[in-house]
């Protein structure tokens, strides 16, 4: 096995990136990047902490983040499993990365920056839905933003309906949990999930 073990070897192997790879990266939301963020209902949030890395899916029925200004994003922490892996990381290491995906758009938008976890009452109230406020809001200060080349999504043919897996072809959460812990009642877990999710969406 041949391993690349230095930056010099890595750059020599890959060569020089094209001009567009560098000019696309800026430190704020320009008009075009703002439009993409405003269209995105889903993003992945990456954080790092003493235990390692975490990547968490985030979604909403409207733009997944709110733009406060061209250098600040607000991400409400909606109901989840209460593991709070991302939040634990942020309070110890503020570095974060967001990757926005918009169905039908063959690129992704990436934002890197630093974040804090806010529980300011007025801010929480501004994100209220169906009588429920988020437990906190992640406030992201943008350090860099850029779009990612479309090749990955094109290779995966990600948005084509015929590329979707049928739900019956994949294991359910209950099946996964029972595989890990044989005594777990996965059948009941799966049967109760739709109603549980409907009551705890926000």
């Amino acid at each position: 096995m041949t391993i690349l073990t230095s930056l010099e070897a890595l750059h020599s192997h890959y060569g020089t990136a094209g001009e567009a790879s560098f000019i696309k990266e800026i430190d704020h939301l320009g008009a075009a990047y703002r439009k993409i963020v405003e269209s995105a209902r889903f993003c992945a949030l990456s954080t790092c902490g003493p235990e390692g890395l975490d990547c968490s899916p985030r979604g909403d029925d409207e733009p997944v983040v709110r733009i406060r200004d061209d250098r600040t994003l607000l991400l409400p922490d909606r109901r989840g499993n209460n593991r709070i892996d991302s939040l634990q990381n942020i309070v110890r290491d503020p570095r974060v990365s967001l990757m926005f995906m918009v169905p039908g758009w063959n690129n992704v938008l990436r934002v890197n920056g630093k974040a804090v976890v806010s529980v300011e009452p007025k801010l929480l109230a501004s994100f209220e839905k169906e009588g429920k406020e988020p437990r906190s809001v992640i406030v992201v200060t943008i350090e860099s933003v850029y779009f990612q080349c479309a090749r990955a999504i094109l290779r995966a043919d990600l948005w084509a309906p015929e590329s979707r897996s049928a739900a019956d072809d994949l294991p359910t959460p209950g099946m996964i949990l029972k595989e890990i812990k044989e005594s777990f009642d996965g059948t009941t877990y799966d049967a109760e999930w739709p109603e549980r999710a409907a009551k705890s969406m926000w």
Side-chain angles (χ1 to χ4, degrees):
M1 185 181 295
T2 302
I3 306 295
L4 300 175
T5 58
S6 70
L7 291 178
E8 292 78 9
L10 188 64
H11 288 298
S12 176
H13 184 75
Y14 274 89
T16 304
E19 180 186 17
S21 297
F22 294 105
I23 65 173
K24 66 184 179 182
E25 183 174 354
I26 56 178
D27 63 1
H28 64 283
L29 291 178
Y33 285 158
R34 174 182 284 264
K35 184 175 179 64
I36 296 163
V37 171
E38 291 173 339
S39 300
R41 295 185 176 196
F42 175 86
C43 72
L45 167 67
S46 295
T47 60
C48 53
E51 294 82 17
L53 304 176
D54 182 73
C55 186
S56 172
R58 303 287 168 144
D60 218 317
D61 64 352
E62 57 184 9
V64 66
V65 301
R66 179 185 298 166
I67 300 172
R68 172 179 278 174
D69 55 54
D70 65 2
R71 294 177 185 270
T72 312
L73 302 176
L74 305 174
L75 173 61
D77 189 56
R78 304 288 187 192
R79 294 283 292 274
N81 57 20
N82 279 340
R83 281 184 54 127
I84 60 173
D85 296 314
S86 300
L87 304 181
Q88 290 184 114
N89 282 346
I90 289 170
V91 299
R92 295 174 295 175
D93 187 330
R95 293 175 295 170
V96 298
S97 180
L98 297 168
M99 186 173 74
F100 296 91
M101 303 178 74
V102 181
W105 189 53
N106 285 328
N107 295 275
V108 298
L109 187 71
R110 299 176 63 173
V111 172
N112 298 319
K114 290 187 170 66
V116 295
V117 180
S118 173
V119 290
E120 168 62 39
K122 288 184 179 180
L123 183 58
L124 299 182
S126 74
F127 283 99
E128 177 270 330
K129 278 194 178 179
E130 296 185 7
K132 302 288 179 61
E133 296 179 1
R135 297 289 295 276
S136 65
V137 174
I138 300 168
V139 182
V140 179
T141 300
I142 295 171
E143 294 181 342
S144 69
V145 54
Y146 55 98
F147 71 90
Q148 185 76 33
C149 169
R151 291 185 186 91
I153 290 177
L154 291 173
R155 283 192 291 259
D157 204 13
L158 194 60
W159 307 129
E162 59 271 20
S163 296
R164 299 175 186 171
S165 296
D168 293 341
D169 293 339
L170 298 172
T172 65
M175 293 166 64
I176 295 169
L177 292 166
K178 185 168 180 58
E179 179 183 295
I180 296 169
K181 183 179 181 181
E182 188 174 348
S183 62
F184 188 85
D185 186 354
T187 301
T188 299
Y189 182 90
D190 285 337
E192 294 178 347
W193 167 246
E195 183 178 358
R196 187 164 64 250
K199 291 179 178 179
S200 61
M201 189 63 65
W202 308 111

